[in-house]
Amino acid sequence: MHILSSHTEKTELQLLVRGLVYAPGDAHYDAEVAAFNLATRHTPDLVLSAVNADDVVAAVRWAAARDMSISVQSTGHGAANAITGGLLISTRLMLELSIDPEEQTARVGAGVRWRDVLRAAAPYGLMGLHGSTTDVGVVGYTLGGGIPLLGRKYGFASDHVLAFDLVTPDGVLRRVDAHSDPRLFGLLRGGKGNFGIVTAMEFSLFPVGELFAGGIFYEGSHAREVLAAFRHWSGSLPAEASASLAFLRLPDMEEVPGFLRGKFVMHLRFAWQGTAEEGGRLLAPMRAAAPVLVDGVGPLPYLRVDEIHADPEHPVPVHEGGMLLRELSDGLAEALLQLAGPDSTAPLLLAEIRLMGGALAAPLNGADPDGDCVGGRDAALSFFAVGIMAPQIAHLVPAAIAAARLALEPFGTGGTAVNLHGHLAAPELAASAWPEAARVRLGEAKAELDPKNLFRHGHAILPAARVVHAAVA
Ligand SMILES: Cc1cc2nc3c(=O)[nH]c(=O)nc-3n(C[C@H](O)[C@H](O)[C@H](O)COP(=O)(O)OP(=O)(O)OC[C@H]3O[C@@H](n4cnc5c(N)ncnc54)[C@H](O)[C@@H]3O)c2cc1C
């Protein structure tokens, strides 16, 4: 086991890399390890702010030679669980980005956010398969499968990866694609950061087209009618349309728009890539579902896609939990109302159901279902809950998230989406984020490809012999 890094170790690593190395107490250490989730405090022994793939190769070799654990952070959006000890490689300065308009592809470095891709691709009328906020990092999101805003039309983001540049635990930089190494390529798509550090990634882009999208807010007192309408409506919604519904209890804070401050509301999010006329026709039943507080759905310039979900723009302290659900049944609707409806006292900022299905349900073009490690193809909905870790309620929030998971368990698929799993109650429960077949392949591959379990932080699976077959927790 590695003991706390010394000044000598920092100097040793610094001599091998171009990026800067920081240790606890250094002026820039705190800024470099900071996560988007302010309730999570990473405390690695050393952090390297890598500037290129050579830095990552040198750092992985150096750490591996010392049996030092290695973790990676880009934007810190996935920081549900704290990283303690070892070497953290920060990729936020690895900002390579190029668009090939002819081939409709992009190549990005490990620090690039979706927002950067959209800005670079927009002049060519192209976009990529980002999620609810474009502030998230392209690589970390895609390694977790990546459930896109328009996922029901296009599938998972990881379905559209063409190649990874990956530094494996043995410190070798490899180009991994469907031909060079189909097994590793499949393990990376949905398998998260288990097999090394991706330094760059290539993937397909798609025409922007017309977007009819946005959000509708209803008073929370109408939660029951809105949920009933959503249930009926979403059952016949074409796969090309995406939607989610959130129970939102907003704090009385300046950052929250005036009309929402301190209120409990229902928030429908809708996205349709097509004409406003057709989108409006599809949305009509939800516009009539209950009195509307604000209707913000209409033709939307693609670069304003973040307005649809309106996720937080600045770091906040939160505790999160998610799971995948089978169908929006009577029982599930009732359970959702109980845990987050008007009479609930649970300290949940957000409880959201997102429609899965459509192109998310099947591997692309009938590809081998065991060809990747994505979870959620069997789910009708993804559930995600968030509580703010404000000092007055911080002691109540984790229990409220755990209670929500428990209440919805009878309606679950038994799995979670790795990107939307949230906090892990215990490291061995990370495996529940993958379908059984993927879980076995990942565990076996982990024992073989990362025998020292160097990449054990974040949402990491245990090597095969140690995998615990557990339910969601
Ligand atoms: C507000 C918000 C909205 C979100 N919306 C969606 C959504 O719509 N759909 C969805 O699928 N997800 C969504 N997510 C989850 C998000 O995709 C994951 O948290 C993802 O891990 C973020 O990646 P990151 O690189 O930005 O975060 P980081 O915290 O920097 O990284 C998280 C993890 O990703 C892995 N990772 C990152 N970079 C690398 C690398 N270069 N090599 C190997 N592993 C790496 C590591 O396991 C790391 O621990 C959302 C998250 C937030 C906070």
Side-chain angles (χ1 to χ4, degrees), residues 34-37 42 71-81 83 88-89 91 94 109-114 129-149 156-157 165-167 188 191-200 309-313 316 318 320 352 354 384 417-421 455 457-460:
F36 190 79
N37 182 351
H42 296 318
S71 53
V72 54
Q73 175 162 270
S74 162
T75 71
H77 270 284
N81 305 290
I83 295 163
L88 171 65
I89 299 183
T91 61
M94 295 176 66
V112 171
R113 294 174 195 250
W114 274 113
L129 298 179
H130 56 86
S132 58
T133 166
T134 61
D135 200 36
V136 158
V138 180
V139 169
Y141 160 94
T142 306
L143 289 171
I147 303 176
L149 177 77
F156 288 91
D165 287 358
L166 175 76
V167 178
L188 291 174
K192 210 67 191 177
N194 270 295
F195 301 102
I197 297 188
V198 170
T199 56
H309 277 247
D311 285 341
E313 289 173 5
V316 262
V318 292
E320 306 164 333
E352 158 199 277
R354 223 182 261 201
F384 196 60
V418 61
N419 275 356
L420 300 177
H421 181 105
F455 289 87
H457 300 286
H459 206 114

Side-chain angles (χ1 to χ4, degrees), residues 31-367:
E32 203 60 56
V33 304
F36 190 79
N37 182 351
L38 297 178
T40 300
R41 186 168 141 63
H42 296 318
T43 53
D45 295 331
L46 290 177
V47 54
L48 161 66
S49 180
V51 296
N52 55 28
D54 289 346
D55 273 5
V56 178
V57 168
V60 168
R61 287 184 185 172
W62 180 84
R66 284 155 188 77
D67 290 349
M68 195 176 187
S69 71
I70 306 166
S71 53
V72 54
Q73 175 162 270
S74 162
T75 71
H77 270 284
N81 305 290
I83 295 163
T84 49
L87 171 67
L88 171 65
I89 299 183
S90 162
T91 61
R92 70 187 176 90
L93 297 182
M94 295 176 66
L95 296 174
E96 167 191 0
L97 169 54
S98 58
I99 305 291
D100 183 334
E102 294 291 312
E103 296 294 323
Q104 303 200 346
T105 60
R107 177 178 165 88
V108 299
V112 171
R113 294 174 195 250
W114 274 113
R115 181 176 302 127
D116 309 319
V117 174
L118 292 196
R119 284 181 186 153
Y124 306 105
L126 297 170
M127 59 88 182
L129 298 179
H130 56 86
S132 58
T133 166
T134 61
D135 200 36
V136 158
V138 180
V139 169
Y141 160 94
T142 306
L143 289 171
I147 303 176
L149 177 77
L150 298 172
R152 281 161 52 85
K153 177 168 182 182
Y154 294 101
F156 288 91
S158 64
D159 293 343
H160 301 281
V161 175
L162 303 168
F164 297 98
D165 287 358
L166 175 76
V167 178
T168 40
D170 54 359
V172 176
L173 176 62
R174 301 167 199 274
R175 184 176 165 87
V176 182
D177 63 30
H179 307 291
S180 69
D181 192 338
R183 179 188 178 215
L184 189 51
F185 189 58
L187 293 166
L188 291 174
R189 288 176 303 130
K192 210 67 191 177
N194 270 295
F195 301 102
I197 297 188
V198 170
T199 56
M201 194 180 87
E202 292 163 26
F203 55 97
S204 300
L205 300 171
F206 299 90
V208 163
E210 284 180 68
L211 187 66
F212 178 82
I216 297 182
F217 290 96
Y218 311 85
E219 288 283 0
S221 53
H222 296 292
R224 184 172 287 277
E225 299 108 275
V226 174
L227 182 59
F230 182 82
R231 195 175 152 208
H232 182 72
W233 172 73
S234 59
S236 56
L237 204 60
E240 290 81 8
S242 293
S244 67
L245 184 65
F247 297 72
L248 278 180
R249 281 188 162 72
L250 293 146
D252 189 359
M253 285 167 58
E254 246 177 61
E255 293 80 1
V256 178
F259 75 98
L260 293 174
R261 221 169 274 168
K263 290 194 79 155
F264 167 51
V265 294
M266 298 295 286
H267 185 201
L268 173 77
R269 299 77 164 260
F270 180 70
W272 162 256
Q273 210 184 21
T275 64
E277 194 187 0
E278 181 73 350
R281 195 185 56 72
L282 285 170
L283 187 63
M286 285 312 292
R287 283 185 154 149
V292 166
L293 252 174
V294 171
D295 183 342
V297 184
L300 191 70
Y302 206 92
L303 289 178
R304 286 172 46 195
V305 281
D306 285 347
E307 291 174 22
I308 302 169
H309 277 247
D311 285 341
E313 289 173 5
H314 305 290
V316 262
V318 292
H319 191 92
E320 306 164 333
M323 61 196 292
L324 294 163
L325 300 166
R326 287 195 312 274
E327 60 168 328
L328 190 37
S329 59
D330 275 344
L332 174 59
E334 210 45 54
L336 286 167
L337 285 166
Q338 269 184 31
L339 80 89
D343 301 327
S344 165
T345 54
L348 298 178
L349 167 74
L350 166 141
E352 158 199 277
I353 46 172
R354 223 182 261 201
L355 293 186
M356 301 284 285
L360 294 167
L364 200 64
N365 301 328

